[in-house]
Amino acid sequence: MNVLLDYLPEFRDGFLGTLAITASSGLLALVLGVLIAGFRVSPIPPLRAFGTGWVTVLRNTPLTLLFLVAFFVVPQILFQGASPFVLATLALGFYTSSFVCEAVRSGINTVPLGQAEAARSIGMTFTQTLRLIVLPQATRTVLAPLSSILIALTKNSAIAGAFSFAELFSVSKLLNDKGYTVAWIFLWTALGYLVITFSISGLFRLLERRMGVAR
Amino acid sequence: MSEVSVTENAGGPAPAADRLVVLDHVNKHFGALHVLQDIDLTINRGEVVVVIGPSGSGKSTLCRTINRLETIDSGSITIDGKPLPQEGRELARLRADVGMVFQSFNLFAHKTVLENVMLGQTKVRRTDKAKAAEKARALLDRVGVGTQADKYPAQLSGGQQQRVAIARALAMDPKVMLFDEPTSALDPEMINEVLDVMQQLARDGMTMVVVTHEMGFARSAANRVVFMADGRIVEEAEPNQFFNNPRSERAKDFLSKILHH
Ligand SMILES: Nc1ncnc2c1ncn2[C@@H]1O[C@H](COP(=O)(O)OP(=O)(O)OP(=O)(O)O)[C@@H](O)[C@H]1O
Ligand SMILES: [Mg+2]
């Protein structure tokens, strides 16, 4: 019990760390995922090929390997002196974007083809058709898988703890090393994750309900 | 968009100015299937052309190649003197000038009726919202669904939806309107309300290409009937001539099937 009270600041920082890394990489994954999904359905073959490559590579690479690349290869070439937060965001965001992309793409496929044809026939460009007609109608079907993807992301963020970024999991490791009762540490850590994952699924359920009413 | 530029007459003998849509030796395959075989078709400004023919003869495909929803393998299509460009901004601009009405309406399901008719104006023509709304309401009144403006498409009957779809196309001030079996998905009692709107359009001088089996409409509104079979244009004639006195065996056979049953 008192491991929480004794180390409240550490737990709080760990919780906020997990929250921050989840939010930033979640945002990156959403933006990239939607963009790459657009590439994958675009009429331009090189963009389609790029999208396919992106998904294939990132979805099939172990996340730990992506972290290794982000922390030991990327700084040597691109971002010298980037913080662990930025590097972890890149690894998690890129990895998760491949799953977001596939969820969005399957959502796009549920929208009847006639919707896009009607949009094109009044002179909308591909981007306008996607943004104004197809994506808004795909959103509802995408919400449920998206919620699972973001929950998986929350849990995956624990790997960042092993790469010198302070978050919940690294705090629990630290205290474990100091000899506190494992059961209590795990309980508090798990509770921290639960708060975040429950908030995510609650938020998405709310969104789904709101979209259901809208029409 | 200037109308001044002199169209290059590609060696054709007819006066170029009145030739709005010109298909020249158009061929298209779906895999091994040769759906459009050497199609030559010219539609003049203000003309109403009805395309009829048996199922699978390529009528929809023909219609869809005219605004490049389907690409062609060879031949050329020009609209108002301009050849259809590759997919991209320029094609989008040209499509705005070619209205299309689908068998299945395809109204934007997440937008209200009014928004359906405004969207092309505001996003493609960059008209400001107030003007677009005013025009949309006028068009909805014209096709007789003005009172439905704030509903969603799913709340309307098929006939009402199709009339909204016509208003949506008209909002772009198209040079030509393409109709692909606009009444085929409708219950019988709703067919006339849509045909009436199309009749009125024809009387107002709109250039129209209409794929339909509605012989009444063809007789009263069309300047010309184009009969297709197996990917070819088999016969072209004035409606009366075609219905009373078809020249080809295919047309006689087809007409006997649809007129007497
Ligand atoms: N996207 C496609 N891929 C492959 N084959 C197609 C495709 N679209 C149409 N076809 C085939 O091309 C032929 C012509 O089709 P099309 O829809 O143009 O005929 P239609 O004259 O409009 O017939 P209907 O009266 O049934 O609407 C048909 O045999 C059809 O099966
Ligand atoms: Mg058809």
Side-chain angles (χ1 to χ4, degrees):
Chain A
M1 180 71 210
N2 28 9
V3 65
L4 175 68
L5 298 178
D6 293 350
Y7 287 90
L8 198 55
E10 279 81 359
F11 269 111
R12 193 198 55 214
D13 289 350
F15 178 78
L16 291 179
T18 295
L19 198 62
I21 194 76
T22 304
S24 66
S25 47
L27 198 68
L28 180 65
L30 283 179
V31 172
L32 281 176
V34 172
L35 187 73
I36 305 290
F39 284 7
R40 294 207 68 181
V41 297
S42 110
I44 302 164
L47 285 186
R48 277 206 303 273
F50 178 82
T52 312
W54 180 276
V55 170
T56 310
V57 168
L58 289 172
R59 203 167 54 156
N60 296 307
T61 308
L63 180 54
T64 317
L65 194 62
L66 287 180
F67 265 97
L68 287 171
V69 171
F71 277 77
F72 300 113
V73 181
V74 171
Q76 295 192 352
I77 312 168
L78 284 170
F79 307 108
Q80 266 131 5
S83 69
F85 177 78
V86 170
L87 296 175
T89 297
L90 287 179
L92 279 167
F94 276 42
Y95 176 77
T96 308
S97 76
S98 65
F99 294 90
V100 172
C101 169
E102 288 307 272
V104 171
R105 192 168 69 106
S106 69
I108 287 174
N109 288 336
T110 64
V111 179
L113 195 59
Q115 294 286 307
E117 287 190 342
R120 288 159 68 202
S121 78
I122 57 170
M124 285 193 190
T125 59
F126 170 77
T127 326
Q128 285 178 320
T129 302
L130 200 61
R131 193 165 49 84
L132 300 168
I133 305 301
V134 178
L135 282 179
Q137 295 189 63
T139 310
R140 235 200 127 202
T141 40
V142 173
L143 283 178
L146 217 49
S147 168
S148 313
I149 289 169
L150 290 183
I151 286 169
L153 166 66
T154 311
K155 296 183 289 185
N156 285 337
S157 72
I159 297 181
F163 286 84
S164 66
F165 176 70
E167 48 76 69
L168 270 174
F169 186 70
S170 63
V171 173
S172 78
K173 223 170 57 174
L174 173 85
L175 300 180
N176 206 350
D177 294 345
K178 293 197 174 182
Y180 282 91
T181 326
V182 177
W184 281 116
I185 302 172
F186 278 10
L187 183 72
W188 292 121
T189 309
L191 213 61
Y193 280 111
L194 273 181
V195 168
I196 297 177
T197 53
F198 270 43
S199 309
I200 291 175
S201 57
L203 176 74
F204 275 81
R205 254 201 308 271
L206 197 75
L207 281 175
E208 269 179 80
R209 200 145 6 112
R210 284 273 299 277
M211 304 212 78
V213 177
R215 179 153 71 85
Chain B
M1 251 171 278
S2 79
E3 308 268 308
V4 195
S5 67
V6 180
T7 52
E8 280 178 60
N9 191 346
D18 270 27
R19 297 161 47 173
L20 188 53
V21 180
V22 180
L23 286 82
D24 186 28
H25 286 82
V26 169
N27 281 282
K28 171 160 186 83
H29 296 78
F30 281 122
L33 184 69
H34 199 170
V35 269
L36 296 181
Q37 307 185 19
D38 236 10
I39 301 284
D40 285 318
L41 180 65
T42 300
I43 291 139
N44 296 320
R45 213 177 294 275
E47 202 179 17
V48 177
V49 173
V50 161
V51 181
I52 68 172
S55 181
S57 55
K59 307 179 298 291
S60 299
T61 309
L62 175 73
C63 216
R64 291 160 57 85
T65 56
I66 295 176
N67 67 355
R68 212 171 182 275
L69 282 181
E70 300 283 359
T71 54
I72 57 177
D73 300 336
S74 65
S76 76
I77 300 179
T78 57
I79 292 176
D80 215 358
K82 293 190 214 80
L84 283 185
Q86 293 291 307
E87 195 73 40
R89 236 158 241 292
E90 188 143 351
L91 179 63
R93 208 167 307 136
L94 191 134
R95 279 199 186 115
D97 291 339
V98 180
M100 175 125 194
V101 176
F102 302 85
Q103 180 173 350
S104 48
F105 328 135
N106 295 345
L107 291 178
F108 304 132
H110 62 308
K111 299 280 180 190
T112 65
V113 163
L114 187 71
E115 288 167 341
N116 263 276
V117 185
M118 286 174 62
L119 209 57
Q121 300 183 65
T122 54
K123 301 295 176 181
V124 177
R125 297 280 194 226
R126 311 268 170 210
T127 315
D128 71 58
K129 275 224 159 81
K131 264 209 189 112
E134 191 183 337
K135 181 168 177 183
R137 285 190 192 281
L139 283 167
L140 288 171
D141 282 335
R142 181 166 154 200
V143 300
V145 286
T147 54
Q148 315 292 326
D150 298 320
K151 290 190 180 163
Y152 283 91
Q155 296 170 290
L156 268 55
S157 74
Q160 291 172 324
Q161 288 190 53
Q162 194 61 299
R163 285 182 283 154
V164 175
I166 293 173
R168 177 176 68 182
L170 287 176
M172 307 305 293
D173 296 318
K175 294 175 179 166
V176 50
M177 292 269 286
L178 311 172
F179 295 81
D180 186 9
E181 303 205 30
T183 57
S184 297
L186 297 177
D187 293 335
E189 74 268 22
M190 295 171 186
I191 290 178
N192 279 332
E193 64 191 45
V194 172
L195 290 180
D196 286 347
V197 170
M198 291 168 58
Q199 289 271 10
Q200 189 57 51
L201 261 184
R203 274 198 292 275
D204 293 347
M206 175 62 76
T207 310
M208 294 161 70
V209 177
V210 186
V211 178
T212 186
H213 293 297
E214 294 297 330
M215 297 307 144
F217 176 83
R219 277 176 186 279
S220 61
N223 301 106
R224 187 153 43 114
V225 173
V226 169
F227 176 70
M228 281 187 79
D230 301 328
R232 291 180 189 281
I233 294 182
V234 176
E235 190 164 343
E236 271 186 81
E238 267 180 45
N240 276 330
Q241 148 95 39
F242 178 78
F243 290 114
N244 301 336
N245 226 338
R247 289 189 305 262
S248 61
E249 284 307 314
R250 287 300 306 260
K252 281 178 195 161
D253 184 46
F254 176 73
L255 287 175
S256 72
K257 277 181 189 137
I258 60 165
L259 295 180
H260 317 291
H261 51 83

